[in-house]
Amino acid sequence: MSSLFPALTGGPAADRPALRFGERSLTYGELAGAAGAVAGGLTRVRRVAVWATPSLETAVAVTGALLAGPAVVPLNPKSGEKELGHILTDSAPDLVLAAPGARLPGPLAGLPRVHVDPAARAPLPDDRARGEEDPALIVYTSGTTGPPKGAVLPRRAIAATLDALTDAWRWTGDDVLVHGLPLFHVHGLVLGTLGPLRRGGSVRHLGAFTTGGVARELNDGATMLFGVPTMYHRIAEALPAEPALAKALAGARLLVSGSAALPAHDHERIAAATGRRVIERYGMTETLMLCSSRWTPPDPRPGVRSDGEARAGTVGGPLPGVELRLVEEDGSPVAAYDGETVGEIQVRGPNLFTGYLNLPDATAAAFTADGWFRTGDMAVRDGDGAVRIVGRKATDLIKSGGFKIGAGEIENALLEHPGVREAAVTGEPDADLGERIVAWVVPADPQSPPGLEELAAHVAGRLAPHKRPRTVHHLDALPRNDMGKIMKRALTGG
């Protein structure tokens, strides 16, 4: 297959910016030399772990290792020792790549360590002879239902996803991407780092996300922003008091949110303040990207939507090469795409993983007999084909009074109440209804939280009476993981 990074060998000029982390940066020529130095130390290595801090060293390490050939296992620096020990035992890397000053925890003590030096230089290896099914990344899932599983992502999955997004977003080498995402996850690593490098563009990583950093970079020539809903929520909250931020977002070519649903309230607040609509995309560790709204050039006419089909609450349609269907509990296709009928998303395409490392039974269970991957995500499709995610089958599908209800739409309705700062919705057993709807709310004013009757009436007036919460719990904060996703099992004790 072709090189994962054609821009490193025959793309932009060697002095063109490739990576920037704070005050440290590399041009394409410098990155080629640094990645070549990493690759030169990985002969006869089958798997390599990378201590994936948000740093220049991580980007260089992953780029060099992918060109050299061994499968890369990104390690979350915030992992506990038990989880980290499981990942190392399961993936059995031959060595770990890390920045010289990084302190590694106990489970890594017995593994040979290689320091990554962005100033080193060596010839770049040619990766074009490698097979498209060769493992490129082994990314571990969050492990909410057991120990984390290693999803083996082949080279063709990375190339297929990034090329499909190029088509959907008109992504070019002229784009400059800014983000503050972690680099152990596919969002920040594959989309946010490998994506620009495959295109010949550049990345500016914030280190830690701040609205000031976003404004600074977008006002200084960056064209794209990638983030998760918690980041866009902070942006929406900050916009009224930060005119430089509003100007920056208004001038950006592309704003993308992913890893969880962006609440409609934040979506609309950003659009009202900046004239720009956030594009949402949908994917998983095992599938990389599946769906996205498409980007179209801004329309100069007042009041005309500038981002094509992007609209709050949907993730657009399937990307090029992706087959997607919704199925009932018995596996039969959903009868109609009417915007109301809920089904599980199943997908096929070149962007899928090859399986879970060392888990043949789990791999087999994840696929249907005819090769469709069972995502476990529930959705509806509108008449125009746009997909609306309503939640995870295991935690977000509530069966109440004979109805199948997605938690996501209730959460969006709750967030439209002025007294609600954050909201999550779960189901709990009910002798009469089967399950009752439970709302977990962080009030805007802790001294005056909205009560059950007020919130139930608010939801019933926006959706339907059977979707109103029957119980409300008030919290100081919702439990979230590193990507901003709400950990509902921590709420319910599941």
Side-chain angles (χ1 to χ4, degrees):
M1 64 178 289
S2 62
S3 173
L4 283 177
F5 307 111
L8 279 176
T9 55
D15 60 354
R16 187 169 183 174
L19 300 168
R20 192 172 86 190
F21 286 74
E23 298 301 315
R24 307 167 68 213
S25 62
L26 291 175
T27 65
Y28 269 89
E30 292 165 342
L31 175 58
V38 169
L42 299 180
T43 56
R44 291 193 285 272
V45 172
R46 186 176 63 136
R47 291 181 193 142
V48 57
V50 173
W51 190 243
T53 57
S55 66
L56 198 61
E57 285 81 2
T58 296
V60 170
V62 173
T63 303
L66 289 175
L67 289 168
V72 175
V73 184
L75 300 178
N76 179 358
K78 295 183 179 179
S79 292
E81 293 205 356
K82 181 178 179 181
E83 180 179 278
L84 188 58
H86 164 74
I87 291 171
L88 293 171
T89 300
D90 189 54
S91 61
D94 297 295
L95 56 86
V96 59
L97 294 169
R103 297 182 61 183
L104 304 185
L108 285 161
L111 199 61
R113 172 175 178 164
V114 175
H115 291 157
V116 179
D117 180 7
R121 300 291 180 264
L124 195 68
D126 187 349
D127 67 330
R128 289 176 295 178
R130 306 204 178 278
E132 64 177 17
E133 296 300 315
D134 288 355
L137 296 170
I138 302 174
V139 182
Y140 279 78
T141 63
S142 57
T144 54
T145 58
K149 299 190 291 289
V152 181
L153 295 165
R155 291 167 62 84
R156 53 114 173 119
I158 295 173
T161 275
L162 296 179
D163 293 347
L165 292 178
T166 295
D167 177 86
W169 298 343
R170 302 193 188 184
W171 196 347
T172 76
D174 293 328
D175 280 308
V176 177
L177 170 63
V178 57
H179 70 85
L181 297 163
L183 300 188
F184 55 83
H185 189 271
V186 297
H187 192 171
L189 182 59
V190 177
L191 274 63
T193 304
L194 306 186
L197 296 181
R198 183 166 173 82
R199 298 275 70 81
S202 61
V203 185
R204 299 179 188 174
H205 197 285
L206 296 172
F209 171 86
T210 65
T211 57
V214 168
R216 180 187 67 248
E217 298 300 340
L218 288 178
N219 281 323
D220 188 33
T223 63
M224 303 164 65
L225 172 67
F226 288 0
V228 297
T230 51
M231 295 174 180
Y232 281 105
H233 176 72
R234 293 175 194 170
I235 286 172
E237 293 279 292
L239 278 169
E242 297 185 23
L245 179 62
K247 176 186 175 185
L249 295 174
R253 187 181 76 79
L254 183 69
L255 309 174
V256 179
S257 180
S259 297
L262 177 63
H265 179 52
D266 289 334
H267 200 295
E268 297 302 339
R269 284 198 293 172
I270 292 170
T274 69
R276 304 308 311 273
R277 303 189 71 83
V278 179
I279 281 178
E280 293 191 75
R281 91 304 182 273
Y282 162 64
M284 303 175 65
T285 301
E286 293 93 334
T287 66
L288 296 183
M289 295 304 105
L290 297 167
C291 296
S292 178
S293 298
R294 301 184 70 85
W295 180 88
T296 57
D299 193 306
R301 294 171 295 175
V304 177
R305 179 175 293 170
S306 62
D307 286 323
E309 64 178 280
R311 62 182 187 269
T314 79
V315 294
L319 289 166
V322 174
E323 296 179 79
L324 182 147
R325 69 183 185 185
L326 302 184
V327 300
E328 301 282 3
E329 289 184 70
D330 62 2
S332 62
V334 165
Y337 292 150
D338 54 9
E340 291 292 335
T341 306
V342 178
E344 182 189 5
I345 298 174
Q346 294 185 353
V347 293
R348 291 192 301 201
N351 51 308
L352 266 63
F353 75 141
T354 55
Y356 295 112
L357 186 67
N358 303 324
L359 294 172
D361 290 344
T363 300
F367 288 88
T368 66
D370 52 350
W372 292 84
F373 176 69
R374 301 181 171 102
T375 67
D377 286 325
M378 309 301 292
V380 301
R381 287 189 82 175
D382 297 334
D384 62 1
V387 177
R388 278 195 297 120
I389 311 296
V390 300
R392 291 290 292 168
K393 185 176 182 179
T395 57
D396 294 321
L397 183 66
I398 302 167
K399 298 177 182 178
S400 183
F403 296 98
K404 288 193 292 185
I405 303 167
E409 62 178 341
I410 305 173
E411 291 164 354
N412 272 326
L414 288 168
L415 288 167
E416 293 175 2
H417 189 287
V420 174
R421 183 179 300 277
E422 296 182 78
V425 168
T426 62
E428 67 181 20
D430 184 278
D432 179 43
L433 297 170
E435 286 186 291
R436 74 172 69 91
I437 296 169
V438 180
W440 307 79
V441 168
V442 177
D445 179 4
Q447 303 303 315
S448 182
L452 172 60
E453 290 187 10
E454 181 180 351
L455 292 177
H458 173 82
V459 170
R462 278 161 175 74
L463 301 177
H466 68 269
K467 296 179 180 180
R468 70 189 186 277
R470 309 297 179 120
T471 303
V472 171
H473 299 292
H474 295 109
L475 303 173
D476 294 330
L478 295 176
R480 296 180 183 270
N481 66 12
D482 290 321
M483 295 305 295
K485 293 182 181 179
I486 298 169
M487 298 187 291
K488 292 192 176 181
R489 294 184 187 278
L491 293 172
T492 61

